[in-house]
Amino acid sequence: MGMHDMVRLAEPFIQPAGQNQPAVYLGYYFNLGFAVELYLKAFVKHATGDDVAKHRHDLNSILQEALSHGFDFEKSKMKEIVEIIGAEHKGLKFRYAEGASTFSYINQRNLVEIALTACRNGMAHLA
C-alpha cells in the first residue's frame, strides 16, 4: 500500500497531456508502476505460491499470469494502465529518468485510483 499511497500524494500535481508537466510526474509514474507490480505479484503469489521474481518488472507478463489465475479487480482498467506504462516501467525509465522528456501519459487519471483501490480492497485478506 505504500506505493499506492505515494501515487495518491502526487496525484494533485499531475497535469493533463499537453500542459507543462512538473518533474513530479516521474515519481508519480514510478510509484504507480510499482504499486501495480506489487498488487499483481501479491495476487499471483497468493493464487499459485510460485516465485513471482521471474517476472521482474514486466507488468504485462505478471498481469497475464494474474488474469490466468482469476484476477478480476477492475481488470479492464488495469489492462489499460499496463498498456500505457508497461514498457517504460519494464525498462526502468521512470526510476532512472531516462527519456524523461517523452513518456506515455495516463489521460484518464481517475482509472488509476479505481483500479488500485479495487486491488487493495480485493486483496485486503492478504495483509
Side-chain angles (χ1 to χ4, degrees), residues 7-75:
V7 170
R8 280 193 181 129
L9 287 173
E11 176 68 27
F13 302 99
I14 303 302
Q15 299 301 315
Q19 292 190 17
N20 190 22
Q21 191 72 255
V24 74
Y25 75 83
L26 282 174
Y28 178 81
Y29 286 99
F30 172 81
N31 292 325
L32 173 59
F34 276 102
V36 168
E37 180 180 332
L38 294 173
Y39 278 132
L40 293 173
K41 284 182 174 178
F43 180 89
V44 170
K45 181 71 173 176
H46 180 74
T48 67
D50 291 346
D51 179 7
V52 294
K54 66 183 178 184
H55 296 283
R56 305 204 31 91
H57 303 298
D58 188 339
L59 298 182
N60 189 56
S61 172
I62 192 70
L63 176 62
Q64 294 311 311
E65 181 83 8
L67 291 170
S68 74
H69 292 287
F71 179 83
D72 196 27
F73 306 121
E74 293 288 351
K75 65 183 176 184

Side-chain angles (χ1 to χ4, degrees), residues 70-101:
F71 179 83
D72 196 27
F73 306 121
E74 293 288 351
K75 65 183 176 184
S76 66
K77 291 177 177 57
M78 187 62 79
K79 285 179 183 178
E80 187 174 350
I81 292 169
V82 168
E83 183 179 313
I84 295 169
I85 69 165
E88 283 101 348
H89 182 77
K90 181 179 177 182
L92 304 176
K93 286 187 176 187
F94 303 127
R95 176 184 278 185
Y96 298 114
E98 295 173 4
S101 61

Side-chain angles (χ1 to χ4, degrees), residues 101-120:
S101 61
T102 59
F103 66 99
S104 300
Y105 280 89
I106 299 281
N107 288 316
Q108 297 175 324
R109 292 184 354 238
N110 64 327
L111 73 83
V112 170
E113 185 59 23
I114 291 167
L116 296 187
T117 298
C119 289
R120 184 196 66 212

